[in-house]
Amino acid sequence: MDWRWDFTFDVVLPKMWQAAGVTIWATVASFAFALVGGLILMLLKTNRSAWISRPATELIEFIRATPLLVQIFFLFFLLPEIGLTLPPLTTGILAIGIYNSALCAEVYRAGFQAVPKGQWEACTALNMSTYRTFRDVIIPQSLPPIVPALGNYLVAIFKETPLLSFVAVAEIMQVSKLIGAEYYRFTEAITIAGIFFLVMSLIAAFGIRLVENYVKRSILH
Amino acid sequence: MTHPMIQFDKVLKAYGALQVLKDLDFSVDNGEVVSIIGPSGSGKTTVLRVLMTLEGIQGGTMYVNGEPLNKMNVDGQLVDASKAHIRRIRSKIGMVFQSFNLFPHMTALDNCNESPIHTQGKSKAEATEESMRLLEMVGLAEKANHYPSQLSGGQQQRVAIARTLAMHPEILLFDEPTSALDPEMVGEVLEVIRDLAKSGDYTMLLVTHQMGFAREVSDRVCFFDGGKMVEQGKPDDLFGNPQHDRLKQFLSKVLEAG
């Protein structure tokens, strides 16, 4: 295999450095969106009124049943049609965030349902408000199953960001394609991109394990 | 005019076609200790659960100290109660569960403190002082900083009793409080309940399979079967001279089993 170190250091790494930042930013922002969006969707879905829960359930199903790439294209080409022109990166974060909100909603729901019924009943018997019930009893106990599942979605989102290269976001995959096209050399750029994803995924997995252990230690005794 | 502390007026509870409580009329006086006995499926636990508002009812009205619980008075009309109304009335009721239902991520002390601090607005110092006094009373002051998983079943149930008392309820509901316990731990929990019954400070409603205990502590025992109260009376009368065949059968079976 023809690998050139000078090309790697002089051309590829400087260009990809910035692109890596875009990838990480897209991941973090989409994940933050999905964390909040998922909670909102879950609350809507479990709302007592069918007028709220039905549309939320349908929306979640719709989002889950459509490929992410289609949704990215959809937002990218549709939003300008309705007069909302956002930068490609923002559109991409929105698309990935919405998609993963639908997935995280299920994680939250499963987590809350895993809390034994007796815990809810004890809260009622102690005359606790809904807010206190969730804040002090339900959420702390649902974190141990929720945290690892959400961690998986963080890694999944990270690996979904190359889809943004389809709408010309200068994330790491797009930049390595551009380098390849410009210099007719794909080996170094694509390899570096691969290594970047591998290393970052391993770091993220390690970080998630730390958070998991922390949650388990501080909540389960 | 004095009201009964608890009053059920034609209370109907049904799961679909299955009626668990059939137009139940039932009342308990202030300070009275009442045990409910009966076979499983008789609706005895449901009486406690609907009164604690853990489950809704399909008809009738429940009153606590003369005030409607599941309804409220608006311009002289009884309408479905608001959440705020239910919470206000419900604050008079405390419940001890068969499976304790302590919060596993909180120490015994924090379990007791949770409601006084966050629903009654007490300061942490004030709540802690009271909780420690209650834990002392159930014999667990030295376990205040233990988590439920570090306590035996009997100890957990005693913490649960202290947690319930910390809210200063007027009514105490006990739902088979010793059924989930190993036999050697039943005594320590019954002892606490016996003291509460003797104190006369609480109106108590006790669902139990401990016939000897029910006979000993109760002012009145009610026998439920098929969603209805079949027979009630003073403990010695009900156990010593049962009138209905269903009760006679039930007692002979229970006493046979020991």
Side-chain angles (χ1 to χ4, degrees):
Chain A
M1 194 169 75
D2 174 28
W3 177 283
R4 279 172 44 193
W5 285 106
D6 57 337
F7 179 69
T8 305
F9 283 105
D10 297 344
V11 179
V12 176
L13 284 179
K15 285 189 188 231
M16 291 186 74
W17 190 243
Q18 209 185 350
V22 173
T23 292
I24 292 172
W25 164 242
T27 303
V28 171
S30 304
F31 185 58
F33 189 104
L35 287 184
V36 179
L39 194 58
I40 294 169
L41 280 180
M42 188 277 295
L43 291 174
L44 293 177
K45 185 179 171 172
T46 54
N47 193 287
R48 253 175 245 155
S49 161
W51 290 100
I52 297 172
S53 66
R54 270 303 290 274
T57 307
E58 297 299 330
L59 180 67
I60 290 172
E61 278 310 305
F62 175 75
I63 295 171
R64 279 157 54 105
T66 329
L68 176 55
L69 185 56
V70 173
Q71 291 177 28
I72 292 173
F73 277 172
F74 191 71
L75 289 185
F76 189 72
F77 292 111
L78 179 104
L79 289 182
E81 292 283 323
I82 60 167
L84 192 64
T85 308
L86 297 171
L89 178 58
T90 312
T91 310
I93 289 171
L94 206 57
I96 297 178
I98 292 172
Y99 182 73
N100 284 280
S101 293
L103 303 179
C104 288
E106 287 301 310
V107 173
Y108 286 121
R109 203 179 55 84
F112 288 160
Q113 281 185 346
V115 177
K117 203 163 140 250
Q119 293 290 307
W120 298 86
E121 293 183 347
C123 292
T124 303
L126 292 172
N127 212 21
M128 290 163 66
S129 64
T130 308
Y131 169 72
R132 277 290 157 189
T133 299
F134 272 93
R135 184 186 179 286
D136 295 352
V137 177
I138 305 303
I139 290 178
Q141 289 185 66
S142 53
L143 282 181
I146 283 179
V147 165
L150 290 181
N152 288 341
Y153 280 115
L154 173 66
V155 175
I157 288 173
F158 180 59
K159 293 191 290 187
E160 281 162 5
T161 55
L163 290 175
L164 298 182
S165 67
F166 283 103
V167 290
V169 172
E171 50 72 57
I172 201 156
M173 204 55 221
Q174 172 73 356
V175 169
S176 37
K177 277 195 299 185
L178 289 178
I179 293 171
E182 192 178 342
Y183 296 91
Y184 292 103
R185 294 191 57 81
F186 284 92
T187 315
E188 291 84 356
I190 301 290
T191 306
I192 298 280
I195 292 171
F196 168 75
F197 277 107
L198 176 66
V199 171
M200 289 303 293
S201 292
L202 290 175
I203 292 174
F206 179 72
I208 292 160
R209 185 110 16 100
L210 287 185
V211 176
E212 248 177 85
N213 288 337
Y214 172 76
V215 166
K216 272 188 200 143
R217 258 205 318 278
S218 56
I219 291 169
L220 304 174
H221 301 273
Chain B
M1 180 184 152
T2 56
H3 304 281
M5 195 55 159
I6 303 167
Q7 192 186 349
F8 279 56
D9 181 19
K10 296 204 171 28
V11 169
L12 173 70
K13 168 73 193 170
Y15 298 102
L18 177 71
Q19 295 192 345
V20 189
L21 297 179
K22 296 170 185 165
D23 293 335
L24 177 66
D25 290 321
F26 174 63
S27 69
V28 181
D29 286 333
N30 190 7
E32 198 181 10
V33 177
V34 174
S35 291
I36 302 180
I37 60 170
S40 61
S42 62
K44 58 191 192 306
T45 286
T46 309
V47 172
L48 304 192
R49 293 179 58 81
V50 297
L51 183 59
M52 193 67 258
T53 71
L54 300 176
E55 291 175 35
I57 55 177
Q58 279 67 47
T61 314
M62 297 178 287
Y63 297 88
V64 172
N65 204 7
E67 286 189 275
L69 167 66
N70 58 316
K71 303 272 169 141
M72 59 183 185
N73 248 312
V74 176
D75 303 328
Q77 294 268 4
L78 275 187
V79 300
D80 284 341
S82 68
K83 241 179 164 179
H85 174 84
I86 291 174
R87 281 193 76 197
R88 186 172 66 79
I89 306 297
R90 190 169 62 194
S91 68
K92 300 187 176 81
I93 312 172
M95 182 162 177
V96 174
F97 297 89
Q98 179 177 355
S99 50
F100 331 135
N101 296 348
L102 289 178
F103 303 134
H105 58 298
M106 296 183 194
T107 61
L109 177 61
D110 288 339
N111 264 282
C112 296
N113 275 348
E114 174 67 31
S115 192
I117 292 177
H118 295 301
T119 68
Q120 300 180 330
K122 285 190 184 164
S123 72
K124 189 163 184 204
E126 196 185 350
T128 301
E129 195 188 318
E130 167 90 21
S131 296
M132 286 307 296
R133 187 180 65 76
L134 291 166
L135 286 171
E136 174 91 52
M137 194 188 92
V138 299
L140 289 170
E142 77 282 7
K143 302 282 188 189
N145 292 316
H146 285 55
Y147 289 94
S149 60
Q150 299 165 321
L151 302 173
S152 71
Q155 290 171 333
Q156 288 189 52
Q157 191 61 300
R158 285 187 281 154
V159 171
I161 292 172
R163 175 175 78 168
T164 300
L165 296 178
M167 315 167 47
H168 293 279
E170 296 172 41
I171 298 170
L172 290 178
L173 309 178
F174 292 89
D175 182 14
E176 303 188 23
T178 57
S179 294
L181 296 175
D182 289 338
E184 74 267 27
M185 289 167 186
V186 170
E188 64 192 61
V189 172
L190 291 185
E191 198 181 325
V192 172
I193 299 174
R194 181 182 294 120
D195 289 345
L196 292 171
K198 278 188 188 152
S199 75
D201 295 338
Y202 303 98
T203 303
M204 286 170 55
L205 203 46
L206 176 72
V207 170
T208 184
H209 293 296
Q210 305 274 337
M211 296 303 150
F213 185 71
R215 186 169 188 166
E216 177 198 338
V217 301
S218 309
D219 299 315
R220 176 158 57 108
V221 177
C222 302
F223 172 68
F224 272 64
D225 190 34
K228 286 186 183 293
M229 184 161 61
V230 175
E231 187 168 341
Q232 59 171 328
K234 293 211 174 306
D236 288 342
D237 295 341
L238 190 115
F239 287 112
N241 185 19
Q243 300 298 312
H244 288 77
D245 288 344
R246 276 300 288 128
L247 176 57
K248 286 177 193 164
Q249 278 172 17
F250 175 75
L251 287 178
S252 69
K253 270 188 195 149
V254 171
L255 296 178
E256 222 170 78

